[in-house]
Structure formats: structure tokens, C-alpha cells
Amino acid sequence: MEVQIINFQSHGDERGELIALEENKNIPFEVKRVYFMYNTKEEVHRGFHAHKKLRQVLFCPCGSCTIKLDSGRETVTVRLSNPTEGLVVEANTWREMYDFTPEAVLMVLASDYYDESDYIRDYDEFLQYVGACERKKG
């Protein structure tokens, strides 16, 4: 499984740093929804779902957390700890977020509006779905 990290350009001087996020430039899609998680306890795991069509970019503007990505064939983990790095999460990827530091903020930029029908919340159903997608391609 290939992990795609976007390196956001930081602009700064003695006053501090600034990062601009622009759809279809350093974000590889049109952004339709933005949300963030914060005050997540260290022992809490979140996510446990995949999307059929939705694409996302995840990053931590503050603190850090770990993201586990699963394609149904391969699993990788990524530690998000640098506000200049965004993790692209493509459709048909199971994700889990955990190991949040106390000050962590996990920001998510999404390619579409919330749509419950786009979620796969059962792991066995996810495996069946990605298997069917693979058979269609092959």
C-alpha cells in the first residue's frame, strides 16, 4: 500500500509560521467539508470505517496521533506529528486513529459532504466490498 504524504509549504519569520491549504493545488481535490477532532483521550481509538468514494487529507495542526490504513490486503501505520504534513486517504481504505497526545487536533479535509451511505462501518463488509471492486477491475 502506497502512503501519500503532502508536504505543506510553511511561510514564516520571527512572528511565527503560516500554512495555506488550497483545493486542487496542495489539496488534491475540491474541499467540500472540513472537520476536526480534539480532546481525544490517549487510550481512545476512533475511525473504524472506510468510504466508498470519499477522499480525505488528514493532518495534525497541533499534537500528534497515529493513523492505521488498511487496503484489505495490506496495513500501514503513519504517525502524524508535523503540521506541515498531510496524509491522503483514498476511498476504499479502512482507517483507525489512535495514540492521540493530550493537545492533539486532527483536522480532516473531505472531498464531499457527509453521506452516511458512503460509509462502510463493518470490517468484514469492507473486505467483501474491496474484494468485489478488485474483481471488477481484473
Side-chain angles (χ1 to χ4, degrees):
M1 168 186 276
E2 183 178 328
V3 173
Q4 183 182 357
I5 299 290
I6 299 170
N7 291 300
F8 303 132
Q9 186 175 11
S10 182
H11 304 276
D13 56 26
E14 67 280 350
R15 300 170 296 167
E17 301 292 323
L18 178 143
I19 295 173
L21 303 176
E22 299 177 299
E23 61 185 35
N24 296 314
K25 289 190 178 180
N26 61 352
I27 303 301
F29 49 78
E30 183 178 335
V31 177
K32 299 242 180 120
R33 185 168 183 241
V34 176
Y35 61 94
F36 57 93
M37 294 171 236
Y38 67 102
N39 284 341
T40 305
K41 306 295 183 229
E42 289 181 66
E43 67 280 357
V44 170
H45 287 233
R46 301 200 54 163
F48 300 101
H49 66 272
H51 292 280
K52 298 172 186 173
K53 296 179 182 173
L54 188 78
R55 300 174 69 201
Q56 298 176 317
V57 172
L58 285 62
F59 63 100
C60 285
C62 184
S64 61
C65 70
T66 299
I67 311 295
K68 177 181 172 185
L69 301 176
D70 182 339
S71 69
R73 293 181 318 276
E74 189 177 356
T75 301
V76 297
T77 58
V78 177
R79 184 76 179 161
L80 294 178
S81 60
N82 186 335
T84 66
E85 294 180 342
L87 173 65
V88 177
V89 181
E90 297 291 350
N92 301 326
T93 305
W94 188 265
R95 79 282 322 275
E96 299 174 21
M97 297 82 78
Y98 58 94
D99 198 19
F100 290 83
T101 58
E103 74 284 6
V105 175
L106 177 61
M107 181 78 70
V108 181
L109 309 178
S111 65
D112 210 344
Y113 304 111
Y114 176 81
D115 177 4
E116 181 60 34
S117 69
D118 186 60
Y119 282 76
I120 304 171
R121 298 185 186 275
D122 178 86
Y123 187 72
D124 290 333
E125 183 183 327
F126 163 72
L127 292 175
Q128 290 176 348
Y129 183 82
V130 295
C133 291
E134 286 297 315
R135 286 189 295 278
K136 285 181 186 177
K137 288 180 187 176

